[in-house]
Amino acid sequence: IVVNGNGVVAPHLDNTLQEIGRSLSLAATPASGWVFSNWLVGSSPVLGGKLTFVMQSNLVVTANFVTNRFLASQGVFNGLALDSTAPTHEHSGFATIKLTSAGGFSGTLIYGGKKVALKGSFDLAGNASVNILAPLPLTVTLALQPAGDVVLGTIGDNGSSIPVRLNRAGFSKTAPATALAGLYTLLVQPNTNNSIIIGDGFGTATVDAAGNVALKGILADAAPVAQKVGLSSSGDWPFFASLYAGKGSIIG
């Protein structure tokens, strides 16, 4: 039994004599700050922390443990699904997920005015894929970036591939947003070529010490707009609100 990284394999079978053809089982338990990657039975890789194998002559079983990259990245990620070159309400939205120290995540996605659950887990390389069947058939692919505070991905939607970017909320009561906290006024100006909506939308935004921004405002057509979301450590605000009973949205 060969162990790479920090972890324990039980029962202790290393350098013991075993009957050829006998079925044996092993369990891998990672040390604190580590996760189990995979087994090698001879030269064949096997996933999963519990292993059952058939004894062979001079067999070498390797257990591979790697450092847990999710410990430093756990928390809440917020962001947008947006094709900035040709944005449409039907192919854009907002996502929020909570990442655990084991690499699992759960949250919600608002896309095309529909709200769906977003749940899955990242593999050890930081990749994840979620298939959503209803109310919209979507394929969401996500990749945790090496620095650990950004998730990039795409939403596959009936032939379309919409970019996704999520930033980890970077502030808390113990890591306050001192330089950003305060009161702000937001002005939403119409496109100068738009002859339908004349006038400005406006709102007030409050950033608290924990880095949460709360917006409340009204658009030029009297539609109310509101949002509360956590800022990233660099102050990025994924601005999104659903409008007109899900038939419209404001995003940026």
Side-chain angles (χ1 to χ4, degrees):
I1 308 296
V2 177
V3 176
N4 292 325
N6 289 343
V8 176
V9 174
H12 181 73
L13 299 182
D14 187 38
N15 286 322
T16 63
L17 293 175
Q18 300 294 331
E19 181 183 354
I20 293 175
R22 181 184 178 188
S23 180
L24 299 171
S25 295
L26 294 171
T29 303
S32 177
W34 292 72
V35 292
F36 181 70
S37 175
N38 67 289
W39 303 93
L40 286 177
V41 181
S43 59
S44 301
V46 180
L47 299 177
K50 294 184 178 180
L51 172 69
T52 299
F53 62 98
V54 176
M55 184 62 193
Q56 304 170 32
S57 177
N58 298 305
L59 182 63
V60 176
V61 176
T62 303
N64 293 314
F65 298 90
V66 296
T67 54
N68 186 352
R69 63 178 299 184
F70 304 113
L71 281 176
S73 298
Q74 60 184 321
V76 176
F77 288 71
N78 303 297
L80 306 177
L82 177 65
D83 180 359
S84 58
T85 61
T88 65
H89 165 68
E90 292 76 15
H91 299 286
S92 61
F94 173 85
T96 181
I97 61 172
K98 185 175 183 179
L99 178 65
T100 71
S101 60
F105 62 87
S106 60
T108 57
L109 168 67
I110 302 173
Y111 186 82
K114 306 293 185 181
K115 187 176 183 179
V116 297
L118 201 57
K119 186 175 183 179
S121 60
F122 290 98
D123 61 22
L124 294 182
N127 299 313
S129 180
V130 180
N131 292 318
I132 299 170
L133 300 179
L136 298 169
L138 304 172
T139 300
V140 182
T141 60
L142 301 173
L144 180 64
Q145 300 304 291
D149 57 356
V150 174
V151 171
L152 300 179
T154 60
I155 293 180
D157 171 17
N158 194 27
S160 300
S161 182
I162 307 301
V164 175
R165 180 187 176 96
L166 309 179
N167 294 322
R168 186 160 63 97
F171 300 100
S172 64
K173 291 182 179 179
T174 56
T178 305
L180 300 176
L183 305 177
Y184 298 83
T185 300
L186 180 72
L187 185 65
V188 182
Q189 295 177 310
N191 189 312
T192 55
N193 297 323
N194 192 332
S195 61
I196 299 175
I197 298 178
I198 304 299
D200 296 325
F202 62 92
T204 57
T206 302
V207 178
D208 63 20
N212 299 303
V213 55
L215 167 73
K216 186 175 183 180
I218 188 168
L219 301 181
D221 60 358
V225 57
Q227 184 191 21
K228 186 172 183 179
V229 69
L231 300 176
S232 75
S233 57
S234 59
D236 292 313
W237 171 8
F239 178 45
F240 176 87
S242 184
L243 303 172
Y244 319 121
K247 296 180 180 179
S249 55
I250 184 169
I251 188 169

